[in-house]
Amino acid sequence: MDYAVWNTLHDGSIEAIDGSVPGDVHVRVAIEYLCEKLPTAASHVVVHLRGCRRFEYRPFEGDAVSDLSAIASADVQVLSAKDADGIVSVVCANGFLELVYDRTDISLAEGRAISQAELEAAAKRYWTEWEENARRARE
């Protein structure tokens, strides 16, 4: 199961969700620090879940939510993800998402598609610079 995108979007917040389950679901993830390293003027990327069959948010307290607009307004912050028996389990700050889909596509706010490799390269640039700045601050 393709879940690498969620690990790359560490600390991103879900701002909006469009589409339907089953079908394609488009998730706008605000992640300013990463967008500063991408060819975009926006502060978010869009993750397209193709063939999405499950999109459910399970807060640590309360009932599971499957209404996409309710999830979008729940202040969901992405931390990490893994494959749990065919279900992508995305650990979030206040709960977790359970997702089942065929594949992901990623695009910039302007609509240009980007690859997972491009996204990871931008993240690597950010974290390398962050570590260098932190090292300099300690000196």
Side-chain angles (χ1 to χ4, degrees):
M1 179 72 62
D2 177 19
Y3 61 89
V5 65
W6 302 108
N7 286 322
T8 311
L9 296 175
H10 174 77
D11 285 339
S13 295
I14 293 176
E15 290 185 327
I17 306 171
D18 297 310
S20 61
V21 177
D24 290 348
V25 174
H26 314 282
V27 184
R28 188 170 76 197
V29 180
I31 187 149
E32 186 173 354
Y33 78 86
L34 190 55
C35 287
E36 290 174 357
K37 304 298 178 195
L38 293 166
T40 181
S43 61
H44 70 272
V45 297
V46 181
V47 179
H48 307 277
L49 305 179
R50 306 300 184 187
C52 187
R53 296 177 300 286
R54 182 173 183 178
F55 197 114
E56 188 171 80
Y57 179 58
R58 295 182 171 273
F60 293 135
E61 295 183 16
D63 297 327
V65 180
S66 57
D67 178 82
L68 299 180
S69 60
I71 296 169
S73 63
D75 192 31
V76 177
Q77 183 181 2
V78 174
L79 299 178
S80 65
K82 65 180 181 178
D83 182 341
D85 296 322
I87 298 170
V88 174
S89 179
V90 181
V91 178
C92 303
N94 297 313
F96 58 96
L97 292 168
E98 288 186 351
L99 311 171
V100 177
Y101 50 83
D102 294 332
R103 73 175 202 282
T104 59
D105 295 322
I106 311 156
S107 65
L108 301 175
E110 297 83 359
R112 178 181 166 270
I114 61 170
S115 67
Q116 178 64 32
E118 287 175 278
L119 194 66
E120 288 176 4
K124 184 175 181 176
R125 283 191 303 275
Y126 172 82
W127 289 112
T128 298
E129 289 174 19
W130 184 88
E131 288 173 1
E132 181 63 24
N133 290 336
R135 185 187 59 75
R136 280 192 204 125
R138 288 190 304 266
E139 292 177 348

